[in-house]
């Protein structure tokens, strides 16, 4: 087992001054019964921990690192922007360029506002939908995670699910009452909810490909059903594409499926690794925001020049490299390697992939929603995680998280990963 003594010391020190030693729960490795490593630096597809261990990384800072870590175009853009000032609190030219870029990539977004995180994006989109419709109730899906927004921390995914807190303490019961949660991929249930309460529902929010309970695909016709029901009842349809946007395709899931929401929450890739979120959609709805309309939303650092310069540089490089097509090729090669390994072992575990996002479930049969994911063999997942990490491959430390490939993952990394995954699976499934 690799030496992680310096990481251990840092974690002990961190726990004295930071709750749980981490600034976001999924980093604590609790779901895999261990302590996290501390990172020293990251470059391309690799990270090095403070003890000098080298890892091939499939977390990619939870999505933003689509070119790989620390691409020179992003570093140069940030350096250049910093020379002109790190924050202004006054309009700057990057904001207009980013808004135009988002609108070009995601045609359902006629107007967009920049914020600092995915959480802010979904929170603001919900408030806007409520202000626009004059209604209070919202619908979300079990296992979908939309950041740590009060009204969305009900039956939530990601860290909330990982740590058995899908319903967070501190969320007033009266808020939670306004959130109707239903299982994903069950048409009859959403139809019933809208038949009974459609006239009271301000917004239906979902990750159109849920990626915070593993990676789950909508069944044929399901997204269209949601589009039709929300349109019929005057409900705002919100796609949370913080993870999938600018990643599974240039224009996100809405480009892949052709189903367009009224509002979209974005983040991760468009920040190039710096703190960025955005929400946008129909001009008619977006123009309800202050200073034009009655829905208040603001932020000192929103539209920060460094963050937007980083995001724009990353998107331009993706264009230049034909990034989304290449990611599909890398994803296919990765999938072939994983499926080959599973065949070799004679195991029929579920493997889902869309573009550069993937999830291996320690489960056979279908995975259509979070209840299916909960049937996974978590003990085997844990063994697999540590066996892979000990051999130099870092997968997300929870069965409920998706993995990410980047343009920096080449044939060499994929071949080594297949070898490691094969050994790790043998250990996990023994
Ligand atoms: N939203 C990220 C993917 N599930 C997790 C990031 C975090 O909670 O720290």
């Amino acid at each position: 087992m690799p030496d992680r003594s310096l990481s251990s010391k840092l974690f002990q020190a961190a726990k004295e001054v930071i709750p749980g030693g981490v600034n976001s729960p999924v980093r604590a490795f609790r779901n895999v019964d261990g302590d996290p490593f501390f990172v020293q630096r990251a470059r391309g597809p690799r990270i090095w921990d403070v003890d000098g261990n080298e890892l091939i990384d499939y977390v990619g800072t939870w999505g933003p690192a689509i070119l790989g870590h620390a691409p020179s175009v992003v570093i140069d853009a940030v350096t250049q922007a910093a020379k002109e000032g790190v924050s202004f609190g006054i309009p700057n030219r990057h904001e207009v360029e980013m808004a135009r870029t988002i609108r070009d990539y995601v045609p359902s977004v006629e107007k967009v506002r920049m914020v600092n995180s995915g959480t802010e994006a979904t929170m603001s989109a919900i408030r806007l939908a409520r202000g626009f419709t004059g209604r209070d109730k919202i619908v979300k899906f079990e296992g979908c995670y939309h950041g740590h927004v009060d009204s969305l921390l009900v039956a939530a995914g990601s860290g909330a699910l990982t740590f058995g807190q899908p319903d967070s303490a501190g969320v007033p019961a009266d808020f939670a009452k306004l959130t109707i949660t239903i299982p994903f991929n069950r048409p009859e249930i959403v139809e019933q909810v809208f038949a009974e309460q459609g006239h009271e529902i301000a917004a239906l929010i979902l990750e159109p490909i849920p990626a915070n309970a593993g990676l789950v695909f909508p069944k044929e016709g399901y997204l269209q059903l949601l589009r039709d029901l929300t349109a019929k009842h005057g409900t705002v349809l919100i796609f949370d594409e913080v993870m999938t946007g600018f990643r599974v395709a240039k224009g996100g899931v809405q480009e892949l499926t052709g189903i367009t929401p009224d509002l979209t929450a974005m983040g991760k890739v468009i920040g190039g690794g710096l703190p960025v979120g955005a929400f946008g959609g129909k001009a008619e709805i977006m123009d309800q925001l202050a200073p034009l309309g009655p829905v208040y939303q603001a932020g000192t650092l929103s539209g920060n020049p460094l963050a937007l310069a980083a995001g724009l540089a990353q998107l331009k490089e993706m264009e230049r490299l034909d990034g989304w097509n290449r990611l599909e090729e890398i994803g296919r090669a990765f999938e072939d390697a994983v499926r080959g390994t599973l065949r070799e072992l004679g195991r029929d575990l579920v493997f889902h992939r869309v573009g550069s996002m993937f999830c291996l479930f320690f489960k056979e049969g279908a995975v259509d929603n979070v209840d299916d994911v909960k049937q996974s063999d978590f003990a085997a997942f844990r063994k697999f995680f540590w066996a892979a990490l000990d051999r130099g491959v870092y997968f997300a430390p929870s069965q409920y998280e998706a993995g990410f490939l980047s343009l920096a993952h080449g044939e060499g990394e994929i071949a080594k990963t297949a070898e490691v995954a094969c050994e790790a699976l043998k250990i996990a499934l023994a």
Side-chain angles (χ1 to χ4, degrees):
M1 195 181 108
D3 174 28
R4 296 194 189 99
S5 50
L6 197 45
S7 277
S8 292
K9 267 191 211 145
L10 280 169
F11 193 47
Q12 291 313 317
K15 282 195 279 192
E16 286 171 22
V17 284
I18 302 172
V22 291
N23 281 311
S24 196
V26 291
R27 299 179 195 172
F29 279 29
R30 288 221 180 160
N31 194 245
V32 287
D33 285 344
D35 288 351
F37 61 84
F38 275 59
V39 67
Q40 180 69 38
R41 66 190 174 92
R43 175 76 57 170
R46 292 192 161 67
I47 45 188
W48 288 265
D49 70 14
V50 288
D51 290 287
N53 301 303
E54 180 178 314
L55 299 163
I56 301 174
D57 176 26
Y58 289 97
V59 178
T61 186
W62 300 100
I66 200 164
L67 296 170
H69 288 286
S72 52
V73 285
V74 170
I75 293 170
D76 291 347
V78 171
T79 309
Q80 194 50 42
K83 287 182 185 157
E84 293 176 355
V86 295
S87 174
F88 306 123
I90 307 168
N92 67 78
R93 66 188 160 82
H94 299 294
E95 294 171 284
V96 185
E97 192 182 346
M98 179 57 93
R100 284 197 179 135
T101 304
I102 291 174
R103 197 184 56 179
D104 288 350
Y105 285 20
V106 189
S108 72
V109 173
E110 294 167 357
K111 287 195 175 178
V112 60
R113 195 162 262 184
M114 302 308 300
V115 291
N116 303 294
S117 68
T119 291
E120 273 186 63
T122 57
M123 176 186 78
S124 307
I126 293 286
R127 184 185 307 136
L128 178 57
R130 284 178 163 149
F132 177 72
T133 57
R135 303 171 181 174
D136 290 338
K137 289 187 182 172
I138 57 171
V139 175
K140 80 172 282 291
F141 291 94
E142 291 165 3
C144 276
Y145 176 71
H146 307 288
H148 57 99
V149 180
D150 276 353
S151 58
L152 298 173
L153 274 180
V154 184
S158 191
L161 187 59
T162 296
F163 300 119
Q165 296 168 329
D167 304 294
S168 173
V171 174
D174 283 349
F175 285 19
K177 264 189 224 150
L178 297 175
T179 305
I180 302 164
T181 52
I182 55 176
F184 192 69
N185 269 335
R186 299 276 305 274
E188 70 288 359
I189 295 184
V190 71
E191 275 169 345
Q192 190 189 339
V193 164
F194 272 87
E196 289 168 1
Q197 306 178 63
H199 61 290
E200 294 175 279
I201 301 171
L204 180 148
I205 185 167
L206 75 153
E207 301 174 75
I209 292 183
N212 282 287
L215 185 69
V216 176
F217 298 132
K219 286 185 182 162
E220 186 68 34
Y222 191 64
L223 293 182
Q224 185 64 57
L225 171 70
L226 301 181
R227 177 63 285 183
D228 294 345
L229 281 174
T230 47
K232 179 173 165 201
H233 291 275
T235 295
V236 176
L237 177 64
I238 305 173
F239 276 7
D240 176 349
E241 295 230 47
V242 171
M243 289 174 88
T244 51
F246 313 93
R247 176 167 275 278
V248 297
K250 189 172 162 181
V253 177
Q254 48 199 286
E255 178 186 316
L256 288 183
T257 60
I259 312 283
T260 51
D262 301 306
L263 292 178
T264 303
M266 297 159 272
K268 301 218 190 240
V269 169
I270 44 167
L274 275 77
V276 164
F279 66 103
K282 288 185 174 157
E284 179 197 8
I285 304 178
M286 291 301 290
D287 284 345
Q288 294 300 309
L289 288 172
L292 291 181
V295 179
Y296 200 74
Q297 183 278 330
T300 299
L301 293 170
S302 296
N304 175 268
L306 302 195
L308 298 197
L312 284 165
Q314 172 145 281
L315 293 174
K316 277 183 197 147
E317 188 68 352
M318 283 293 288
E319 291 268 7
R320 193 183 72 78
L321 298 172
D322 188 23
W324 290 279
N325 286 329
R326 280 189 52 201
L327 276 177
E328 175 57 29
E329 286 163 19
I330 294 169
R332 206 173 302 129
F334 183 78
E335 176 167 358
D336 288 347
V338 174
R339 293 202 186 283
T341 300
L342 291 174
R343 261 196 310 277
E344 202 180 312
L345 297 174
R347 296 301 297 250
D348 203 15
L349 301 184
V350 179
F351 180 75
H352 283 175
R353 175 186 73 86
V354 53
S356 56
M357 294 176 74
F358 65 88
C359 187
L360 175 66
F361 295 97
F362 282 76
K363 178 189 181 309
E364 298 181 358
V367 174
D368 291 329
N369 57 39
V370 69
D371 285 338
D372 293 335
V373 183
K374 285 180 184 167
Q375 306 307 314
S376 302
D377 182 344
F378 288 84
F381 171 81
R382 250 175 244 129
K383 283 189 203 156
F384 172 77
F385 170 83
W386 285 108
L389 194 75
D390 290 350
R391 287 161 181 76
V393 176
Y394 174 45
F395 291 114
S398 165
Q399 174 72 93
Y400 293 118
E401 300 290 351
F404 298 92
L405 288 149
S406 77
L407 283 188
H409 287 82
E411 281 174 20
E413 282 81 24
I414 292 178
K416 164 148 189 204
T417 303
E419 212 174 281
V420 165
C422 191
E423 282 176 49
L425 279 169
K426 278 185 192 156
I427 294 168
L429 302 171

